[in-house]
């Protein structure tokens, strides 16, 4: 995976999680935070499961090309 993409994704997800945590406790709904984490996990797993082999092939080709370019 591309390090810039990883860092951008981590930042975006961390901001979202932080906001959900903050809002859930401010609204005295601490279980909402836990529920949101579980739903995010389930939805992301579902999205990964729905990727077909062609999608993986395109991603792997892109990763391989990116890695090869960095080696040269």
């Amino acid at each position: 995976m591309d390090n810039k993409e990883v860092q951008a994704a981590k930042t975006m997800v961390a901001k979202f999680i932080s906001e959900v945590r903050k809002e859930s406790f401010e609204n005295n709904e601490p279980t909402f935070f836990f529920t949101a984490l579980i739903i995010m996990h389930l939805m992301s797993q579902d999205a990964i499961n729905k990727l077909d082999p062609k999608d993986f092939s395109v991603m792997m080709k892109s990763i391989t090309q990116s890695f090869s370019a960095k080696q040269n």
Side-chain angles (χ1 to χ4, degrees):
M1 289 188 281
D2 181 84
N3 285 336
K4 288 181 182 179
E5 289 179 355
V6 169
Q7 289 306 311
K10 282 183 174 182
T11 299
M12 184 175 65
V13 171
K15 285 180 183 178
F16 177 76
I17 289 173
S18 178
E19 187 64 26
V20 170
R21 176 184 283 140
K22 178 182 162 222
E23 292 290 325
S24 67
F25 285 98
E26 284 178 359
N27 292 312
N28 199 29
E29 297 174 341
T31 58
F32 180 77
F33 175 66
F34 184 65
T35 301
L37 290 177
I38 291 170
I39 296 303
M40 284 177 21
H41 172 74
L42 293 172
M43 290 179 73
S44 64
Q45 188 63 53
D46 187 49
I48 290 169
N49 290 342
K50 287 181 179 176
L51 292 174
D52 74 21
K54 290 179 187 175
D55 296 326
F56 279 116
S57 177
V58 169
M59 285 187 273
M60 292 305 295
K61 189 177 218 177
S62 175
I63 291 168
T64 302
Q65 289 171 347
S66 176
F67 182 75
S68 293
K70 289 178 183 178
Q71 296 299 321
N72 294 328

Coordinates of all heavy atoms in Angstrom, one line a residue:
M1 N 0.8 -1.2 0.0 CA 0.0 0.0 0.0 C 0.9 1.2 0.0 O 2.0 1.2 0.6 CB -0.9 0.0 1.2 CG -2.0 -1.1 1.2 SD -3.2 -0.9 2.5 CE -2.3 -1.7 3.8
D2 N 0.4 2.3 -0.6 CA 1.1 3.5 -0.7 C 1.1 4.2 0.7 O 0.0 4.4 1.3 CB 0.4 4.4 -1.7 CG 1.1 5.7 -1.9 OD1 2.1 5.8 -2.6 OD2 0.7 6.7 -1.3
N3 N 2.2 4.6 1.2 CA 2.3 5.2 2.5 C 1.5 6.5 2.7 O 0.9 6.7 3.7 CB 3.8 5.5 2.9 CG 4.5 4.3 3.3 OD1 3.9 3.3 3.7 ND2 5.8 4.3 3.1
K4 N 1.5 7.3 1.6 CA 0.7 8.6 1.7 C -0.8 8.2 1.8 O -1.6 8.9 2.5 CB 0.9 9.4 0.4 CG 2.3 10.1 0.4 CD 2.4 10.9 -0.8 CE 3.8 11.5 -0.8 NZ 4.0 12.4 -2.0
E5 N -1.3 7.2 1.0 CA -2.7 6.8 1.1 C -3.0 6.2 2.5 O -4.1 6.5 3.0 CB -3.0 5.8 0.0 CG -3.0 6.4 -1.3 CD -3.4 5.3 -2.4 OE1 -3.5 4.1 -2.1 OE2 -3.5 5.7 -3.6
V6 N -2.1 5.4 3.0 CA -2.3 4.9 4.4 C -2.4 6.0 5.4 O -3.3 6.0 6.2 CB -1.1 3.9 4.7 CG1 -1.2 3.5 6.2 CG2 -1.2 2.7 3.8
Q7 N -1.5 6.9 5.4 CA -1.6 8.0 6.3 C -2.8 8.9 6.2 O -3.5 9.2 7.2 CB -0.3 8.9 6.2 CG 1.0 8.2 6.7 CD 0.8 7.7 8.1 OE1 0.4 8.4 9.0 NE2 1.2 6.4 8.3
A8 N -3.2 9.1 4.9 CA -4.4 9.9 4.7 C -5.7 9.2 5.2 O -6.5 9.8 5.9 CB -4.6 10.2 3.2
A9 N -5.7 7.9 5.0 CA -6.8 7.1 5.4 C -6.9 7.0 6.9 O -8.0 7.1 7.5 CB -6.8 5.6 4.8
K10 N -5.7 6.8 7.6 CA -5.7 6.8 9.0 C -6.2 8.1 9.6 O -6.9 8.1 10.6 CB -4.3 6.5 9.5 CG -3.8 5.0 9.4 CD -2.4 4.9 10.0 CE -2.0 3.4 10.0 NZ -0.7 3.3 10.6
T11 N -5.7 9.2 9.1 CA -6.1 10.5 9.5 C -7.7 10.7 9.4 O -8.3 11.1 10.4 CB -5.4 11.6 8.8 OG1 -4.0 11.4 9.0 CG2 -5.8 13.0 9.2
M12 N -8.2 10.3 8.3 CA -9.6 10.5 8.0 C -10.4 9.6 9.0 O -11.4 10.1 9.6 CB -9.9 10.1 6.6 CG -11.4 10.3 6.2 SD -11.7 10.0 4.4 CE -11.3 8.3 4.3
V13 N -10.1 8.3 9.1 CA -10.8 7.4 10.0 C -10.6 7.9 11.5 O -11.6 7.8 12.2 CB -10.3 6.0 9.8 CG1 -10.9 5.0 10.8 CG2 -10.7 5.5 8.4
A14 N -9.5 8.3 11.9 CA -9.2 8.7 13.2 C -10.1 9.9 13.6 O -10.7 10.0 14.7 CB -7.8 9.1 13.5
K15 N -10.2 10.9 12.6 CA -11.1 12.1 12.8 C -12.6 11.6 13.0 O -13.3 12.1 13.9 CB -11.0 13.0 11.7 CG -9.7 13.8 11.7 CD -9.7 14.8 10.5 CE -8.4 15.6 10.4 NZ -8.3 16.5 9.3
F16 N -13.0 10.7 12.1 CA -14.4 10.2 12.2 C -14.6 9.5 13.6 O -15.6 9.8 14.2 CB -14.7 9.3 11.1 CG -16.1 8.7 11.1 CD1 -17.2 9.4 10.8 CD2 -16.3 7.4 11.6 CE1 -18.5 8.9 10.9 CE2 -17.5 6.8 11.7 CZ -18.6 7.6 11.3
I17 N -13.7 8.6 14.0 CA -13.9 7.9 15.2 C -13.9 8.9 16.4 O -14.7 8.7 17.3 CB -12.8 6.8 15.4 CG1 -13.1 5.7 14.4 CG2 -12.8 6.3 16.8 CD1 -11.9 4.7 14.3
S18 N -13.0 9.8 16.4 CA -12.9 10.8 17.4 C -14.3 11.6 17.5 O -14.8 11.9 18.6 CB -11.8 11.8 17.2 OG -11.7 12.8 18.2
E19 N -14.8 12.0 16.4 CA -16.1 12.8 16.4 C -17.2 11.9 16.9 O -18.1 12.4 17.7 CB -16.4 13.3 15.0 CG -17.5 14.2 14.9 CD -17.4 15.5 15.6 OE1 -16.2 15.9 15.8 OE2 -18.4 16.1 16.1
V20 N -17.3 10.6 16.5 CA -18.4 9.8 17.0 C -18.2 9.6 18.5 O -19.2 9.6 19.2 CB -18.3 8.4 16.2 CG1 -19.3 7.4 16.9 CG2 -18.7 8.6 14.8
R21 N -17.0 9.4 19.0 CA -16.8 9.2 20.4 C -17.3 10.4 21.1 O -18.0 10.4 22.1 CB -15.3 8.9 20.7 CG -15.0 8.9 22.2 CD -13.5 8.7 22.5 NE -13.2 7.3 22.2 CZ -12.0 6.9 21.6 NH1 -11.2 7.8 21.3 NH2 -11.8 5.7 21.5
K22 N -16.8 11.6 20.7 CA -17.1 12.9 21.3 C -18.7 13.1 21.4 O -19.2 13.4 22.4 CB -16.5 14.0 20.6 CG -16.8 15.4 21.1 CD -16.1 16.4 20.2 CE -16.7 17.8 20.4 NZ -16.9 18.5 19.2
E23 N -19.3 12.9 20.2 CA -20.8 13.1 20.1 C -21.5 12.1 21.0 O -22.5 12.5 21.6 CB -21.2 13.0 18.7 CG -20.8 14.2 17.8 CD -21.4 15.5 18.2 OE1 -22.6 15.5 18.5 OE2 -20.7 16.5 18.1
S24 N -21.1 10.9 21.0 CA -21.8 9.9 21.8 C -21.8 10.2 23.3 O -22.8 10.0 24.0 CB -21.3 8.5 21.4 OG -20.0 8.2 21.9
F25 N -20.6 10.6 23.7 CA -20.5 10.9 25.2 C -21.2 12.2 25.5 O -21.8 12.3 26.6 CB -19.1 10.8 25.6 CG -18.6 9.4 25.8 CD1 -17.9 8.8 24.8 CD2 -18.9 8.6 26.9 CE1 -17.5 7.5 24.8 CE2 -18.5 7.3 27.0 CZ -17.8 6.7 26.0
E26 N -21.1 13.2 24.6 CA -21.7 14.5 24.9 C -23.3 14.3 24.9 O -23.9 15.0 25.7 CB -21.4 15.5 23.8 CG -20.0 16.1 24.0 CD -19.6 17.1 22.9 OE1 -20.4 17.3 21.9 OE2 -18.5 17.6 22.9
N27 N -23.8 13.4 24.2 CA -25.2 13.1 24.2 C -25.6 12.0 25.1 O -26.8 11.5 25.1 CB -25.7 12.8 22.7 CG -25.6 14.0 21.8 OD1 -26.0 15.1 22.2 ND2 -25.0 13.8 20.7
N28 N -24.7 11.7 26.0 CA -25.0 10.6 27.0 C -25.4 9.3 26.4 O -26.4 8.7 26.9 CB -25.9 11.1 28.1 CG -25.8 10.3 29.4 OD1 -24.8 9.8 29.7 ND2 -26.9 10.3 30.1
E29 N -24.8 8.9 25.3 CA -25.1 7.7 24.6 C -23.8 6.9 24.3 O -23.4 6.7 23.2 CB -25.8 8.0 23.3 CG -27.2 8.7 23.5 CD -27.8 9.1 22.1 OE1 -27.1 9.2 21.1 OE2 -29.0 9.3 22.1
P30 N -23.2 6.5 25.4 CA -21.8 5.8 25.2 C -21.9 4.5 24.4 O -20.9 4.2 23.8 CB -21.4 5.6 26.7 CG -22.6 5.6 27.5 CD -23.5 6.6 26.8
T31 N -23.1 3.9 24.4 CA -23.1 2.6 23.7 C -23.2 2.9 22.2 O -22.8 2.0 21.4 CB -24.4 1.8 24.0 OG1 -25.6 2.6 23.8 CG2 -24.3 1.3 25.5
F32 N -23.5 4.1 21.8 CA -23.6 4.5 20.3 C -22.2 4.4 19.7 O -22.0 3.9 18.6 CB -24.1 5.9 20.1 CG -24.1 6.3 18.7 CD1 -25.1 5.8 17.8 CD2 -23.2 7.1 18.1 CE1 -25.1 6.1 16.5 CE2 -23.2 7.4 16.8 CZ -24.2 6.9 15.9
F33 N -21.1 4.8 20.5 CA -19.8 4.7 20.0 C -19.4 3.2 19.7 O -18.9 2.9 18.6 CB -18.8 5.3 21.1 CG -17.4 5.1 20.7 CD1 -16.8 5.8 19.6 CD2 -16.5 4.3 21.5 CE1 -15.5 5.7 19.3 CE2 -15.2 4.2 21.1 CZ -14.7 4.8 20.0
F34 N -19.7 2.3 20.6 CA -19.4 0.9 20.4 C -20.2 0.4 19.2 O -19.7 -0.3 18.4 CB -19.8 0.2 21.7 CG -19.4 -1.3 21.6 CD1 -18.1 -1.7 21.5 CD2 -20.4 -2.3 21.7 CE1 -17.8 -3.1 21.5 CE2 -20.1 -3.6 21.6 CZ -18.8 -4.0 21.5
T35 N -21.5 0.8 19.1 CA -22.3 0.3 18.0 C -21.7 0.8 16.7 O -21.6 0.1 15.7 CB -23.7 0.8 18.2 OG1 -24.3 0.3 19.4 CG2 -24.6 0.4 17.0
A36 N -21.3 2.1 16.6 CA -20.7 2.6 15.4 C -19.4 1.9 15.0 O -19.2 1.6 13.8 CB -20.4 4.1 15.6
L37 N -18.6 1.5 16.0 CA -17.4 0.7 15.7 C -17.7 -0.6 15.1 O -17.1 -1.0 14.1 CB -16.5 0.6 16.9 CG -15.8 1.8 17.5 CD1 -15.1 1.4 18.8 CD2 -14.9 2.4 16.5
I38 N -18.7 -1.3 15.7 CA -19.1 -2.6 15.2 C -19.7 -2.5 13.7 O -19.3 -3.3 12.8 CB -20.1 -3.3 16.1 CG1 -19.4 -3.6 17.4 CG2 -20.8 -4.5 15.4 CD1 -20.4 -4.1 18.5
I39 N -20.5 -1.5 13.5 CA -21.1 -1.3 12.2 C -20.0 -0.9 11.2 O -20.1 -1.5 10.0 CB -22.2 -0.2 12.2 CG1 -23.4 -0.7 13.1 CG2 -22.7 0.1 10.8 CD1 -24.0 -2.0 12.8
M40 N -19.1 -0.1 11.5 CA -18.0 0.2 10.6 C -17.2 -1.0 10.2 O -16.8 -1.2 9.1 CB -17.0 1.3 11.2 CG -17.6 2.7 11.2 SD -16.6 3.9 12.0 CE -14.9 3.3 12.1
H41 N -16.9 -1.9 11.2 CA -16.2 -3.1 11.0 C -17.0 -4.0 10.0 O -16.5 -4.5 9.0 CB -16.0 -3.9 12.3 CG -15.4 -5.2 12.1 ND1 -14.1 -5.5 11.7 CD2 -16.0 -6.5 12.2 CE1 -13.9 -6.7 11.6 NE2 -15.0 -7.4 11.9
L42 N -18.3 -4.2 10.3 CA -19.1 -5.1 9.4 C -19.2 -4.5 8.0 O -19.1 -5.3 7.0 CB -20.5 -5.2 10.1 CG -20.6 -6.0 11.4 CD1 -22.0 -5.9 12.0 CD2 -20.1 -7.4 11.2
M43 N -19.4 -3.2 7.9 CA -19.6 -2.6 6.6 C -18.3 -2.7 5.8 O -18.3 -2.9 4.6 CB -20.1 -1.2 6.7 CG -21.6 -1.1 7.1 SD -22.2 0.6 7.3 CE -22.4 1.0 5.6
S44 N -17.2 -2.4 6.4 CA -15.9 -2.5 5.7 C -15.6 -3.9 5.3 O -15.1 -4.2 4.2 CB -14.8 -1.9 6.6 OG -14.5 -2.6 7.7
Q45 N -15.9 -4.9 6.2 CA -15.7 -6.3 5.8 C -16.6 -6.7 4.6 O -16.1 -7.4 3.7 CB -15.9 -7.2 7.0 CG -15.5 -8.6 6.7 CD -14.1 -8.8 6.5 OE1 -13.2 -8.3 7.3 NE2 -13.7 -9.4 5.4
D46 N -17.8 -6.2 4.6 CA -18.7 -6.5 3.5 C -18.2 -5.9 2.2 O -18.2 -6.5 1.2 CB -20.1 -6.0 3.9 CG -21.1 -6.4 2.8 OD1 -21.2 -7.6 2.5 OD2 -21.9 -5.5 2.4
A47 N -17.7 -4.7 2.3 CA -17.2 -4.0 1.1 C -16.0 -4.8 0.5 O -15.8 -5.0 -0.7 CB -16.8 -2.6 1.4
I48 N -15.1 -5.3 1.4 CA -13.9 -6.1 1.0 C -14.4 -7.4 0.4 O -13.9 -7.8 -0.7 CB -13.0 -6.3 2.2 CG1 -12.3 -5.0 2.6 CG2 -12.0 -7.4 1.8 CD1 -11.6 -5.1 3.9
N49 N -15.4 -8.0 1.0 CA -15.9 -9.3 0.5 C -16.5 -9.1 -0.9 O -16.5 -10.0 -1.7 CB -16.9 -9.9 1.4 CG -16.3 -10.4 2.7 OD1 -15.1 -10.6 2.8 ND2 -17.1 -10.6 3.7
K50 N -17.1 -7.9 -1.2 CA -17.8 -7.7 -2.5 C -16.8 -7.4 -3.6 O -17.2 -7.4 -4.8 CB -18.8 -6.6 -2.3 CG -20.0 -7.0 -1.6 CD -21.0 -5.9 -1.5 CE -22.2 -6.4 -0.7 NZ -23.2 -5.3 -0.5
L51 N -15.5 -7.1 -3.3 CA -14.6 -6.9 -4.4 C -14.4 -8.2 -5.2 O -14.2 -9.2 -4.6 CB -13.2 -6.4 -3.8 CG -13.2 -5.1 -3.1 CD1 -11.8 -4.9 -2.5 CD2 -13.4 -4.0 -4.1
D52 N -14.4 -8.1 -6.5 CA -14.3 -9.3 -7.2 C -12.8 -9.4 -7.6 O -12.0 -8.5 -7.5 CB -15.2 -9.3 -8.4 CG -14.9 -8.4 -9.6 OD1 -13.7 -8.0 -9.7 OD2 -15.8 -8.1 -10.4
P53 N -12.4 -10.6 -8.1 CA -11.0 -10.8 -8.5 C -10.4 -9.8 -9.4 O -9.2 -9.5 -9.4 CB -11.0 -12.2 -9.1 CG -12.2 -12.9 -8.5 CD -13.2 -11.8 -8.3
K54 N -11.2 -9.3 -10.3 CA -10.7 -8.2 -11.3 C -10.3 -7.0 -10.5 O -9.3 -6.4 -10.8 CB -11.8 -7.9 -12.3 CG -12.1 -8.9 -13.3 CD -13.2 -8.5 -14.3 CE -13.6 -9.7 -15.2 NZ -14.7 -9.3 -16.0
D55 N -11.1 -6.6 -9.5 CA -10.7 -5.5 -8.6 C -9.3 -5.7 -7.9 O -8.5 -4.8 -7.9 CB -11.7 -5.2 -7.6 CG -13.1 -4.8 -8.2 OD1 -13.1 -4.1 -9.2 OD2 -14.1 -5.1 -7.6
F56 N -9.2 -6.9 -7.4 CA -7.9 -7.3 -6.7 C -6.8 -7.3 -7.7 O -5.7 -6.8 -7.4 CB -8.0 -8.6 -6.0 CG -8.7 -8.6 -4.7 CD1 -9.9 -9.3 -4.5 CD2 -8.1 -7.9 -3.6 CE1 -10.5 -9.2 -3.3 CE2 -8.7 -7.8 -2.4 CZ -9.9 -8.5 -2.2
S57 N -7.0 -7.7 -8.9 CA -6.0 -7.8 -9.9 C -5.5 -6.4 -10.3 O -4.3 -6.1 -10.4 CB -6.5 -8.5 -11.2 OG -5.6 -8.5 -12.2
V58 N -6.5 -5.5 -10.4 CA -6.1 -4.1 -10.8 C -5.3 -3.5 -9.6 O -4.3 -2.8 -9.9 CB -7.4 -3.2 -11.0 CG1 -7.1 -1.8 -11.1 CG2 -8.0 -3.7 -12.3
M59 N -5.7 -3.7 -8.4 CA -5.0 -3.1 -7.2 C -3.6 -3.7 -7.1 O -2.6 -3.0 -6.9 CB -5.8 -3.4 -5.9 CG -7.0 -2.5 -5.8 SD -7.8 -2.6 -4.2 CE -8.9 -4.0 -4.5
M60 N -3.5 -5.0 -7.3 CA -2.2 -5.7 -7.2 C -1.3 -5.2 -8.3 O -0.1 -5.0 -8.0 CB -2.3 -7.2 -7.2 CG -3.0 -7.8 -6.0 SD -2.3 -7.3 -4.4 CE -0.7 -8.1 -4.6
K61 N -1.8 -5.0 -9.5 CA -1.0 -4.5 -10.6 C -0.5 -3.1 -10.2 O 0.7 -2.8 -10.4 CB -1.8 -4.5 -11.9 CG -1.0 -4.2 -13.1 CD -1.9 -4.3 -14.3 CE -1.1 -5.0 -15.4 NZ -1.9 -5.2 -16.6
S62 N -1.3 -2.3 -9.7 CA -1.0 -0.9 -9.3 C 0.1 -0.9 -8.3 O 1.1 -0.2 -8.3 CB -2.2 -0.1 -8.9 OG -1.8 1.1 -8.4
I63 N -0.1 -1.8 -7.2 CA 0.9 -1.9 -6.2 C 2.2 -2.3 -6.7 O 3.3 -1.8 -6.3 CB 0.4 -2.8 -5.0 CG1 -0.8 -2.1 -4.3 CG2 1.5 -3.2 -4.1 CD1 -1.6 -3.1 -3.4
T64 N 2.2 -3.3 -7.5 CA 3.5 -3.9 -8.1 C 4.2 -2.8 -8.9 O 5.4 -2.6 -8.8 CB 3.1 -5.1 -9.0 OG1 2.5 -6.1 -8.2 CG2 4.4 -5.7 -9.6
Q65 N 3.4 -2.1 -9.7 CA 4.1 -1.0 -10.6 C 4.6 0.1 -9.7 O 5.7 0.6 -9.9 CB 3.0 -0.5 -11.5 CG 2.7 -1.4 -12.7 CD 1.5 -0.9 -13.5 OE1 0.8 0.0 -13.2 NE2 1.3 -1.6 -14.6
S66 N 3.9 0.5 -8.6 CA 4.4 1.5 -7.7 C 5.6 1.0 -7.0 O 6.6 1.8 -6.9 CB 3.3 1.8 -6.7 OG 3.7 2.7 -5.8
F67 N 5.6 -0.2 -6.6 CA 6.8 -0.8 -5.9 C 8.0 -0.8 -6.8 O 9.1 -0.4 -6.4 CB 6.5 -2.1 -5.3 CG 7.7 -2.8 -4.6 CD1 8.0 -2.3 -3.3 CD2 8.4 -3.8 -5.2 CE1 9.0 -2.9 -2.6 CE2 9.5 -4.3 -4.5 CZ 9.8 -3.9 -3.2
S68 N 7.8 -1.2 -8.1 CA 8.9 -1.3 -9.0 C 9.4 0.0 -9.3 O 10.7 0.2 -9.5 CB 8.4 -2.0 -10.3 OG 8.0 -3.3 -10.1
A69 N 8.6 1.0 -9.5 CA 9.0 2.4 -9.8 C 9.9 2.9 -8.6 O 10.9 3.6 -8.8 CB 7.8 3.3 -10.0
K70 N 9.5 2.6 -7.4 CA 10.3 3.1 -6.2 C 11.7 2.4 -6.1 O 12.6 3.0 -5.6 CB 9.5 2.9 -4.9 CG 8.3 3.8 -4.8 CD 7.6 3.5 -3.5 CE 6.3 4.4 -3.5 NZ 5.5 4.1 -2.3
Q71 N 11.8 1.2 -6.7 CA 13.0 0.4 -6.6 C 14.0 1.0 -7.6 O 15.2 0.8 -7.5 CB 12.8 -1.1 -6.9 CG 11.9 -1.7 -5.8 CD 12.5 -1.7 -4.4 OE1 13.7 -1.8 -4.3 NE2 11.7 -1.4 -3.4
N72 N 13.5 1.6 -8.7 CA 14.4 2.1 -9.7 C 14.9 3.5 -9.5 O 14.7 4.3 -8.8 CB 13.7 2.1 -11.1 CG 13.4 0.7 -11.5 OD1 14.1 -0.2 -11.2 ND2 12.3 0.5 -12.2

